[in-house]
């Protein structure tokens, strides 16, 4: 990924991970997931989440089913640990990003080995008051947790708009790559 000119929103030069879904599809053992895993890439991390085979058997209630699903995910995590570490090491070398893992089965989705990345921001008093209100009300334990909660909320309620924005940004990146090299 090369940056042309000024004003780009990408801050660090990292290798493109456009082929990550294909790379993981070729690298992961065939028997781990029921289909292609979900691959989510950002500047610091690649998240790989796969669907595990469904549970068989009857369960007394939804709580028992959820416990069984969580147990199956835990077993997957333990049974695949060494292989996941090796695959992550190779991917981290290739893409210069950390690799995080997760699994889902039925209605249960669990992520493990995910990063928590500090993000510096400057907020004016009105924004700080919003965060402090969330902390004072017990919604969050800290300003940091309140900000993370607010970002998740915006993401949930603006997902279609964010998807459109990401698509547009991708098109701009493609045009920048085709443009003249000003360096």
């Amino acid at each position: 990924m090369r940056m042309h000119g000024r004003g780009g929103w990408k801050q660090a030069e990292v290798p493109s991970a456009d082929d990550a879904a294909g790379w993981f599809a070729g690298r992961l053992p065939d028997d781990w997931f029921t289909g292609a895993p979900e691959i989510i890439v950002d500047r610091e991390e690649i998240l790989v989440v796969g669907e595990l085979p469904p549970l068989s058997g009857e369960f007394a209630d939804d709580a028992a089913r959820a416990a069984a699903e969580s147990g199956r995910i835990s077993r997957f995590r333990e049974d695949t640990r060494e292989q996941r570490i090796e695959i992550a090491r190779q991917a981290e070398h290739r893409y210069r990003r950390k690799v995080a893992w997760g699994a889902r089965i039925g209605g249960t989705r669990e992520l493990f080995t995910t990063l928590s990345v500090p993000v510096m921001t400057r907020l004016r008093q009105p924004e700080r008051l919003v965060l402090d209100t969330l902390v004072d009300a017990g919604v969050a334990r800290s300003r940091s947790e309140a900000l993370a909660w607010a970002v998740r909320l915006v993401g949930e309620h603006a997902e279609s708009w964010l998807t459109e924005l990401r698509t547009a940004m991708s098109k701009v990146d493609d045009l920048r790559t085709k443009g003249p090299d000003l360096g």
Side-chain angles (χ1 to χ4, degrees):
M1 151 187 8
R2 288 186 315 169
M3 296 287 292
H4 294 282
R6 298 167 41 137
W9 51 84
K10 294 187 179 166
Q11 304 214 351
E13 294 257 352
V14 293
S16 171
D18 291 344
D19 67 345
W23 188 86
F24 278 98
R27 183 60 184 87
L28 295 175
D30 294 335
D31 62 342
W32 276 13
F33 305 124
T34 60
E38 175 184 21
I39 307 290
I40 303 168
V41 178
D42 72 8
R43 293 177 191 152
E44 290 89 17
E45 182 176 40
I46 299 173
L47 176 61
V48 180
V49 181
E51 180 81 27
L52 300 178
L55 296 172
S56 58
E58 298 295 319
F59 298 93
D61 56 23
D62 290 343
R65 175 171 285 285
E69 290 170 352
S70 183
R72 177 65 57 88
I73 290 172
S74 180
R75 183 174 80 187
F76 168 80
R77 183 178 183 185
E78 292 302 319
D79 289 350
T80 63
R81 183 180 309 276
E82 294 302 318
Q83 284 181 287
R84 284 186 299 103
I85 289 170
E86 178 59 24
I87 293 167
R89 188 189 62 71
Q90 293 170 9
E92 288 168 7
H93 178 75
R94 179 182 179 102
Y95 297 110
R96 291 196 318 213
R97 293 170 174 87
K98 290 294 183 182
V99 175
W101 299 90
R104 67 181 171 272
I105 182 171
T108 304
R109 182 178 192 256
E110 294 182 14
L111 304 180
F112 30 96
T113 62
T114 58
L115 289 178
S116 179
V117 178
V119 178
M120 298 300 293
T121 186
R122 295 182 187 275
L123 299 176
R124 299 209 182 274
Q125 189 177 36
E127 292 91 8
R128 293 191 313 265
L129 287 172
V130 169
L131 298 180
D132 291 343
T133 299
L134 293 171
V135 172
D136 293 344
V139 173
R141 293 183 306 235
S142 65
R143 283 181 171 177
S144 176
E145 190 175 278
L147 185 56
W149 179 84
V151 168
R152 279 192 303 275
L153 188 64
V154 168
E156 289 172 13
H157 293 288
E159 187 56 42
S160 64
W161 179 79
L162 288 169
T163 299
E164 282 185 57
L165 185 60
R166 288 182 189 111
T167 300
M169 289 172 20
S170 176
K171 290 177 183 176
V172 169
D173 281 344
D174 291 344
L175 289 172
R176 280 189 180 154
T177 301
K178 294 176 185 174
D181 189 357
L182 302 176

